[in-house]
Each structure stands twice: as structure tokens, then as C-alpha cells.
């Protein structure tokens, strides 16, 4: 069953509960009974781990795991894109580095480079 929500700028409303993020929302996609929220980060701002998982009652379940906790990576960047393919959810950054996301807990499962 789809989760009903509304969004405007940096606010997401789920089940009459408002969540206010630090930055505007770029994408909200539903996967595996979780709303995956990708924040839009301005170029002049250092803000990593800009993906959140929200449950059907409007609670933040998780914030994405830091890439540097799992992978050796030079110059970590905020995520730019959010893709859902079946039950798999991927996030990618400006350099085309793509990561498979666990929608239950926000952990990063694997990495690849998008060409």
C-alpha cells in the first residue's frame, strides 16, 4: 500500500506529521514500505549523508550510512540521484559513484561506478 505524503521545499508531511529537513527535498520515492528522501544540497554547503528513510507514520527511521564508513573513497560528496529498480534502491553522487542502499536501516551494501 502506498504511503500518502506531501512535500514542499524542506518539509515532508506523512500521516499528519511534519518533518523539517535542513535543506530542500530533491526526491521522495517509496520502496519497501519506506519513503526514501534525497535532499538537495547547494554547491557551497558541506552536508553529506543527505538521504533519509521515513516510515508510514512519519518517523525518521534512519539517515544513510556514511560512505567512508564502508568504502575507501576520495572526496566524498552529497548524493545527487535516487533510483528505484524493483526492490533495489540506489543513490549516486556527482562523480557517478553508485551505491546500493538497504532500505531497512540505511546501510550501504555495495558500490559501482556509473558510466
Amino acid at each position: 500500500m502506498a504511503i500518502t505524503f506531501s512535500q514542499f521545499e524542506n518539509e515532508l508531511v506523512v500521516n499528519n506529521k511534519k518533518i523539517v529537513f535542513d535543506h530542500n527535498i530533491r526526491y521522495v520515492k517509496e520502496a519497501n514500505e519506506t519513503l526514501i528522501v534525497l535532499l538537495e544540497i547547494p554547491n557551497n554547503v558541506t552536508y553529506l549523508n543527505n538521504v533519509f528513510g521515513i516510515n508510514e507514520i512519519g518517523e525518521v527511521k534512519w539517515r544513510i550510512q556514511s560512505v567512508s564508513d564502508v568504502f575507501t573513497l576520495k572526496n566524498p560528496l552529497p548524493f545527487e540521484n535516487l533510483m528505484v529498480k524493483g526492490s533495489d534502491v540506489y543513490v549516486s553522487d556527482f562523480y557517478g559513484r553508485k551505491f546500493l542502499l538497504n532500505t531497512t536501516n540505511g546501510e550501504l551494501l555495495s558500490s559501482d561506478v556509473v558510466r
Side-chain angles (χ1 to χ4, degrees), residues 32-43:
N32 308 320
E33 301 175 3
T34 301
L35 292 177
I36 312 298
V37 177
L38 173 72
L39 301 184
E40 184 176 308
I41 307 303
N43 290 336

Side-chain angles (χ1 to χ4, degrees), residues 69-82:
D69 287 349
V70 186
F71 305 103
T72 303
L73 193 68
K74 292 182 181 177
N75 193 20
L77 296 170
F79 297 105
E80 296 284 332
N81 201 6
L82 173 63

Side-chain angles (χ1 to χ4, degrees), residues 11-111:
E11 297 179 353
L12 179 73
V13 178
V14 181
N15 194 31
N16 293 321
K17 186 171 183 181
K18 183 190 293 187
I19 303 163
V20 179
F21 294 99
D22 294 335
H23 299 282
N24 286 347
I25 297 167
R26 177 173 283 173
Y27 300 117
V28 178
K29 298 193 179 188
E30 184 174 352
N32 308 320
E33 301 175 3
T34 301
L35 292 177
I36 312 298
V37 177
L38 173 72
L39 301 184
E40 184 176 308
I41 307 303
N43 290 336
N44 61 343
V45 174
T46 302
Y47 186 99
L48 300 176
N49 310 327
N50 57 318
V51 180
F52 296 82
I54 311 298
N55 66 17
E56 71 279 351
I57 60 171
E59 296 174 337
V60 177
K61 291 172 42 174
W62 49 259
R63 182 172 179 179
I64 196 168
Q65 181 177 28
S66 176
V67 172
S68 60
D69 287 349
V70 186
F71 305 103
T72 303
L73 193 68
K74 292 182 181 177
N75 193 20
L77 296 170
F79 297 105
E80 296 284 332
N81 201 6
L82 173 63
M83 301 147 285
V84 178
K85 294 182 180 180
S87 62
D88 290 336
V89 176
Y90 299 90
V91 292
S92 62
D93 66 16
F94 178 77
Y95 289 149
R97 298 175 291 202
K98 179 174 79 170
F99 303 91
L100 177 61
L101 176 65
N102 180 330
T103 59
T104 302
N105 58 19
E107 291 180 354
L108 296 170
L109 302 174
S110 66
S111 70

